[in-house]
Amino acid sequence: MSQSASVEWWNKSLDEVGLHGMDKLVDSSGSWDALLQSGREDLARALSLTDMTTGQDRAVLEIGCGVGRLTAALADRFGRVLGVDVAPTLIEEAQQRNTHQSVSFEVCDGVRIRPNGADFTCDTVFSYEVLYYLNRQSLTTYFEDAFVLLTSGGQLVFHLNMEPIRVSTRLSFLFRRALYACGIKQFRGWPTGAGLKRYFHSEAWLRQTLTRIGFRVERIVGPNLRQKWIVAVKP
Ligand SMILES: C[S@@+](CC[C@H](N)C(=O)[O-])C[C@H]1O[C@@H](n2cnc3c(N)ncnc32)[C@H](O)[C@@H]1O
């Protein structure tokens, strides 16, 4: 699947599956308030697992913010929040819905994380339910960019689904692409479509790559392989 197919899918996702595309656990008929509440709950779980440092004196960049579900929750805990996403329609929705003065949103190209403003730095780079859509090369580039954007002592905190890709997973990708081609946009509560291919990144590869870039990997934790959190610090 090409990067442009992925961007195209995400860009259409609001029209095709609604807010449900942000998180399958959000009811497809769910309200904006329910979406924000789910973001607060997801962030609270992330904080309890990762022990991520927060504070009103800190700035956070969120990769793959979508419509701003977790961005709003991050605004309650950080002084400044920048959400970036590849899908212009999602960023537009996020901007229209945003009620926090400390929050801003930008479209990124999906290749580099280059916020507008040459001197942008942050204390935390955060991402939830995004980075397993990136292949090794793209993910490595994002890690390198995060390292440059972070201040010394800053944290890169991100979620990955680390379940290995099995034959059944591949068949499921194909099946979902076929359903989408037939006009079926959701199956068993999951959106279909080519833009939803997941990549597997092993713990060994993550540790090696992050360490090579200069990070200190602090922890890789989570209740199961689908909900793994990685905390890496820029020394
Ligand atoms: C499952 S949604 C999660 C959105 C948000 N993090 C949340 O939990 O509500 C995945 C998001 O990742 C974005 N995305 C996909 N590939 C990306 C990339 N290469 N760079 C930045 N964002 C990306 C999509 O546009 C989409 O908004």
Side-chain angles (χ1 to χ4, degrees):
M1 183 206 47
S2 68
Q3 168 75 11
S4 60
S6 169
V7 176
E8 195 186 320
W9 190 89
W10 285 110
N11 219 20
K12 289 192 296 193
S13 66
L14 258 193
D15 279 348
E16 296 195 341
V17 293
L19 297 174
H20 197 43
M22 296 295 97
D23 185 335
K24 79 168 178 53
L25 300 177
V26 174
D27 192 276
S28 46
S29 59
S31 66
W32 182 253
D33 283 347
L35 185 91
L36 291 184
Q37 181 56 25
S38 73
R40 282 192 286 269
E41 288 166 9
D42 285 341
L43 183 62
R45 257 192 304 276
L47 287 169
S48 70
L49 284 168
T50 61
D51 213 13
M52 174 172 80
T53 308
T54 60
Q56 289 305 315
D57 57 339
R58 295 177 71 91
V60 58
L61 180 144
E62 184 192 4
I63 303 172
C65 60
V67 296
R69 189 174 73 94
L70 272 94
T71 328
L74 287 166
D76 294 337
R77 299 177 186 263
F78 285 85
R80 202 154 56 93
V81 190
L82 172 64
V84 299
D85 200 285
V86 283
T89 55
L90 300 181
I91 288 292
E92 204 178 306
E93 183 76 12
Q95 283 166 333
Q96 280 170 14
R97 299 275 195 175
N98 179 36
T99 56
H100 292 89
Q101 282 199 336
S102 59
V103 172
S104 53
F105 294 98
E106 285 178 20
V107 177
C108 66
D109 64 7
V111 180
R112 309 297 306 250
I113 321 170
R114 286 205 181 109
N116 293 325
D119 56 353
F120 181 92
T121 56
C122 57
D123 306 285
T124 309
V125 172
F126 177 89
S127 191
Y128 182 57
E129 295 278 10
V130 178
L131 296 182
Y132 52 81
Y133 294 119
L134 273 66
N135 63 25
R136 274 191 177 191
Q137 192 185 341
S138 304
L139 191 53
T140 304
T141 307
Y142 269 24
F143 289 161
E144 288 166 350
D145 286 352
F147 191 83
V148 172
L149 294 170
L150 282 167
T151 51
S152 179
Q155 293 179 314
L156 169 63
V157 181
F158 62 98
H159 158 262
L160 278 187
N161 178 345
M162 290 176 69
E163 268 192 351
I165 309 277
R166 303 191 174 86
V167 174
S168 57
T169 322
R170 286 186 205 287
L171 288 174
S172 153
F173 291 153
L174 285 173
F175 181 58
R176 287 207 254 149
R177 286 181 85 141
L179 288 177
Y180 188 78
C182 297
I184 299 166
K185 306 287 163 51
Q186 291 189 46
F187 180 69
R188 290 190 172 168
W190 291 86
T192 59
L196 286 171
K197 180 171 175 183
R198 175 170 73 84
Y199 291 89
F200 169 69
H201 303 294
S202 70
E203 183 166 334
W205 179 80
L206 284 167
R207 284 188 184 280
Q208 190 188 35
T209 306
L210 288 163
T211 306
R212 182 183 52 73
I213 291 167
F215 283 105
R216 187 180 72 246
V217 179
E218 214 162 61
R219 63 183 66 117
I220 298 184
V221 286
N224 54 52
L225 290 174
R226 283 190 177 191
Q227 286 293 322
K228 284 286 182 191
W229 283 91
I230 295 88
V231 181
V233 176
K234 176 172 173 172

